[in-house]
Amino acid sequence: MPDPTALPLVFASVGKVYEQSHLGRTTRQQALRSASFEIRAGEIFGLLGLNGSGKTTTFKIALGLIQPSQGEARLFGLSPARAQARRKAGYLPEVPVFSQHLSCEQILAFYGGLSGLGGRLLETRIADTLDLCGLKLLRRRRVRELSKGYRQRLGLAQAILHNPELLILDEPASGLDPLAILEMRRAIEHLNGTLKTSILLSSHSISEIERLCDRVAILREGRLVKVLEKSAWKEAQGGLEDIFVAAVAAPLGARESA
Amino acid sequence: MRALYILAKDSLEEALSSRLILVSLLTAAVLLYLGEAVSALAAEEETRALLDLGLGLIELVTLGIAVFGGAVFFLREGETKRADLILSRPIGRARYLLGRFLGLALTAGVSLLLTSALHLAMLLLKGWLFTPAYLYALVGIYLKVLIALSMTLGISLWSTSALAAMGFSALLWSLGHFLPEVGELLGRGGTRLAWLKPLLWIPPNLSFLNYRDVLSLTPGFPPVGAWFAYTGAYAGLWLLIAWDRLRLKEF
C-alpha cells in the first residue's frame, strides 16, 4: 500500500541511459543525469528545458513506464513500477492518442475502468469531468471528429477522471489556441486550488510556467541545473525567462559552477 | 479480472472497427463462394471438396487475422503511445499482455464463427449431413490459431519489425504441421543429425490439432482435453516469453 504520508514524487540521483542495438552496434544516449528533486503535496512543480533536455524521460520514470539506469524514483513512497503506486497518479502525454472510433464518454469509461472506477461512481465521474473540461456537449462525439484542442481536453479529462493526487502533464498547452490555453490553465488552477492536486508539468511557455508554478526545475541536456522557488523569479529583474536563458545558454561548466 | 475484460473488449472493438477485418471477412465470403464453384469440379465428391476447401480457407483467414493482429499490436501501441496511457494506470504488465491476448483471441474467434457459419450454411444447402466432427475441426483450428497468436505476440515483442514477426510465426506454423515427418527424416539420418532433434521441441505440434485433415475420413472421437492442455501449455510458454520482454519494454 502507498504510504499516505509519503511525498507524491521523489527522485534521488536518477539517471537514464537509452541503449539501442543495431547490427551488433550499441549506441547509448544519456537522457537524464543524476537528477534529484521532490514534489511536495499540493504544489505545482514545473519542468523547463529545451527539446531533448529530459522532461519526458523524467515523466516516464515517474510513472514507471521506463526504468532508471541509476538512482531511485518513489511515487507515493513506492517504486513507480508497482501498479499500486500509480493508483493516485494521472498522466497527460504531449500528444494523447485515443481510439478513433470511440466517443469521449467511451474513452473515459475505458480509462476510468482501468483506474478501478466502476458503476455509478464511474458515471458520475465521467459527467463531472466532461463538464470540467468543457466536453459536456461533445460527450457522444467520436475522437476522429474532434479538433486537436478538444483531443487535448479529452487527454486532460482521462488524466483527472479518477481524482489523482498527483497529475503529470507533459506540455498540456501544446498546439492549443490562446482561448484553449486559458481554459487549460483555469482547469489546472481549479484542480490545484480546489482539489489540492499536486501537479508536475512541463511547458515551453515560460509565461504559463511563471503564472502557474510554485517551483520550477530547469533541465539542460539531462542535468537538473536549477530548482527555483517562486520568490526567486518574482524577485529577479528579468523574471523566469532571463533565469532560464542564462541557465540553458551558458557554457555547461560555467553554469554548473555558478 | 475487470481490467482484463476492459482490455480484451477494447481490443476486440478496435479490431472489429478496422476495415482490415471487414475486408478479410468479405474476402473469405467471396472465396468460400468461389470454393463452391471449384468443388463442382470434384464430381461425386463435391460436398467433401467444399468441406475441405472451406475449412482450409477458414483456417487461413482466421490465422491471417490473428497473426497480423498479433504482429502489429504492440508496435502500434508503442508508436501511438497508447501503451503509455494504459500503463500509467494501476495495470500490471502481465495483465496488460493477457488482456490484449484475450482481445485478439476473441477477434479471431469472431472471425472463425462468421466464416464457419457461412460455410456451414453452404454445406447444408448442398445436402451435407451435419456431424459433431465439424465442430471438433473448428475447435482444432481455433486452438491452432491461439498458438499462432501467442507465438506472434512473443516474437513481435522481441522483434522491431512486424514483417519479421509474421515471417517467423509463419515458419514455425509451417514446421508445426510436419513435425512427425521431420522427426522421421532426422531419425533416418542417424547420429549425424541427432543433434537437431531437440530443436523439434520449438515449433508447436500442429498436426496433433489438425483434425480437419481427417474429418472426411470418418475419424474417431478427438482427444479434446489433451488438445486444450497442449494449447494452454504451449501458448502459455509463448506468453511467458512475451511477458519477459514486455515487463521491461520501453515503448
Side-chain angles (χ1 to χ4, degrees):
Chain A
M1 288 293 287
D3 176 359
T5 61
L7 289 168
L9 182 67
V10 177
F11 266 43
S13 304
V14 173
K16 177 65 186 174
V17 179
Y18 289 111
E19 290 189 3
Q20 271 196 321
S21 294
H22 184 64
L23 298 175
R25 280 184 58 193
T26 303
T27 53
R28 291 180 176 82
Q29 187 198 351
Q30 182 96 39
L32 204 59
R33 297 163 198 262
S34 199
S36 297
F37 68 94
E38 79 288 326
I39 308 289
R40 300 169 192 153
E43 78 169 339
I44 303 184
F45 188 94
L47 271 187
L48 271 178
L50 301 176
N51 288 334
S53 59
K55 299 188 295 293
T56 301
T57 297
T58 302
F59 294 155
K60 287 190 165 191
I61 290 172
L63 290 160
L65 298 172
I66 58 175
Q67 312 297 319
S69 311
Q70 66 172 76
E72 188 185 46
R74 308 293 281 180
L75 186 61
F76 295 103
L78 298 174
S79 162
R82 290 180 60 181
Q84 186 73 16
R86 301 192 295 273
R87 193 167 289 280
K88 295 199 283 186
Y91 175 49
L92 168 63
E94 186 177 352
V95 184
V97 176
F98 302 111
S99 298
Q100 300 288 306
H101 65 285
L102 295 181
S103 68
C104 296
E105 266 181 345
Q106 287 171 319
I107 292 286
L108 295 187
F110 174 68
Y111 286 106
L114 291 182
S115 296
L117 301 177
R120 184 60 62 87
L121 177 63
L122 178 59
E123 285 173 24
T124 312
R125 287 297 308 149
I126 288 174
D128 291 349
T129 309
L130 286 170
D131 199 13
L132 177 68
C133 296
L135 290 165
K136 196 174 178 180
L137 297 174
L138 302 174
R139 63 187 190 278
R140 301 235 163 85
R141 190 77 63 88
R142 286 174 197 274
V143 171
R144 68 165 71 99
E145 298 162 12
L146 296 179
S147 67
K148 185 172 183 194
Y150 281 115
R151 285 181 198 200
Q152 199 73 0
R153 289 181 194 211
L154 183 59
L156 180 67
Q158 64 77 31
I160 64 175
L161 182 68
H162 54 298
N163 268 337
E165 289 178 31
L166 173 65
L167 189 56
I168 296 179
L169 308 172
D170 193 355
E171 310 275 356
S174 170
L176 297 185
D177 60 44
L179 195 60
I181 291 174
L182 177 70
E183 286 172 355
M184 180 67 81
R185 191 197 313 141
R186 283 183 182 156
I188 292 170
E189 283 168 344
H190 168 77
L191 289 164
N192 179 252
T194 312
L195 303 173
K196 305 294 173 213
T197 309
S198 311
I199 296 172
L200 168 62
L201 68 89
S202 71
S203 175
H204 284 306
S205 167
I206 294 176
S207 62
E208 283 302 313
I209 293 271
E210 259 184 330
R211 282 185 207 198
L212 281 169
C213 295
D214 301 305
R215 288 193 303 147
V216 166
I218 298 174
L219 278 166
R220 180 186 176 180
E221 294 166 31
R223 288 186 174 87
L224 195 62
V225 293
K226 271 191 195 315
V227 179
L228 304 159
E229 299 282 341
K230 193 166 203 151
S231 55
W233 70 79
K234 288 264 185 196
E235 288 162 11
Q237 202 171 23
L240 185 57
E241 189 172 46
D242 278 9
I243 297 173
F244 175 69
V245 171
V248 298
L252 212 52
R255 186 227 8 94
E256 276 186 319
S257 58
Chain B
M1 280 304 283
R2 189 151 181 275
L4 282 184
Y5 166 75
I6 291 169
L7 287 166
K9 181 170 164 276
D10 178 66
S11 305
L12 174 67
E13 286 174 352
E14 183 154 334
L16 294 181
S17 74
S18 90
R19 283 187 193 150
L20 187 76
I21 301 287
L22 188 67
V23 169
S24 303
L25 292 175
L26 283 175
T27 309
V30 170
L31 288 175
L32 275 173
Y33 182 74
L34 290 176
E36 190 187 9
V38 173
S39 64
L41 301 173
E44 290 167 12
E45 296 286 343
E46 190 179 342
T47 312
R48 183 182 155 180
L50 180 62
L51 180 68
D52 290 345
L53 269 174
L55 284 172
L57 189 65
I58 289 168
E59 182 170 316
L60 274 180
V61 170
T62 314
L63 175 73
I65 286 171
V67 167
F68 181 78
V72 301
F73 199 87
F74 286 112
L75 287 173
R76 203 173 50 204
E77 292 258 294
E79 277 169 12
T80 60
K81 304 291 176 198
R82 278 191 73 204
D84 283 353
L85 268 184
I86 292 169
L87 293 173
S88 68
R89 308 271 155 183
I91 298 293
R93 294 194 175 207
R95 215 179 283 187
Y96 173 54
L97 172 68
L98 200 55
R100 291 314 200 188
F101 170 77
L102 290 175
L104 292 167
L106 280 173
T107 307
V110 169
S111 157
L112 183 84
L113 277 179
L114 292 175
T115 46
S116 58
L118 180 65
H119 182 227
L120 194 56
M122 288 167 69
L123 283 169
L124 294 175
L125 282 173
K126 286 265 176 196
W128 180 69
L129 288 176
F130 178 78
T131 154
Y134 182 81
L135 294 181
Y136 293 132
L138 290 183
V139 171
I141 289 172
Y142 189 55
L143 294 179
K144 284 165 67 180
V145 168
L146 290 187
I147 283 177
L149 173 61
S150 65
M151 284 192 311
T152 313
L153 281 176
I155 296 168
S156 76
L157 282 165
W158 285 91
S159 152
T160 51
S161 147
L163 205 60
M166 285 191 276
F168 275 114
S169 299
L171 180 71
L172 289 175
W173 170 271
S174 307
L175 264 176
H177 284 90
F178 301 104
L179 277 188
E181 290 82 355
V182 175
E184 174 73 22
L185 286 172
L186 289 180
R188 284 185 201 171
T191 50
R192 200 162 44 90
L193 296 178
W195 64 276
L196 283 171
K197 278 196 170 178
L199 296 180
L200 293 182
W201 286 93
I202 297 173
N205 185 0
L206 296 178
S207 53
F208 174 54
L209 302 166
N210 212 22
Y211 192 68
R212 69 177 178 84
D213 274 3
V214 294
L215 182 61
S216 320
L217 310 173
T218 329
F221 186 76
V224 180
W227 282 1
F228 275 93
Y230 178 76
T231 304
Y234 190 85
L237 270 176
W238 272 105
L239 288 177
L240 274 177
I241 290 169
W243 175 74
D244 187 50
R245 180 66 174 173
L246 185 67
R247 72 194 170 91
L248 294 175
K249 188 170 177 66
E250 299 183 346
F251 286 101

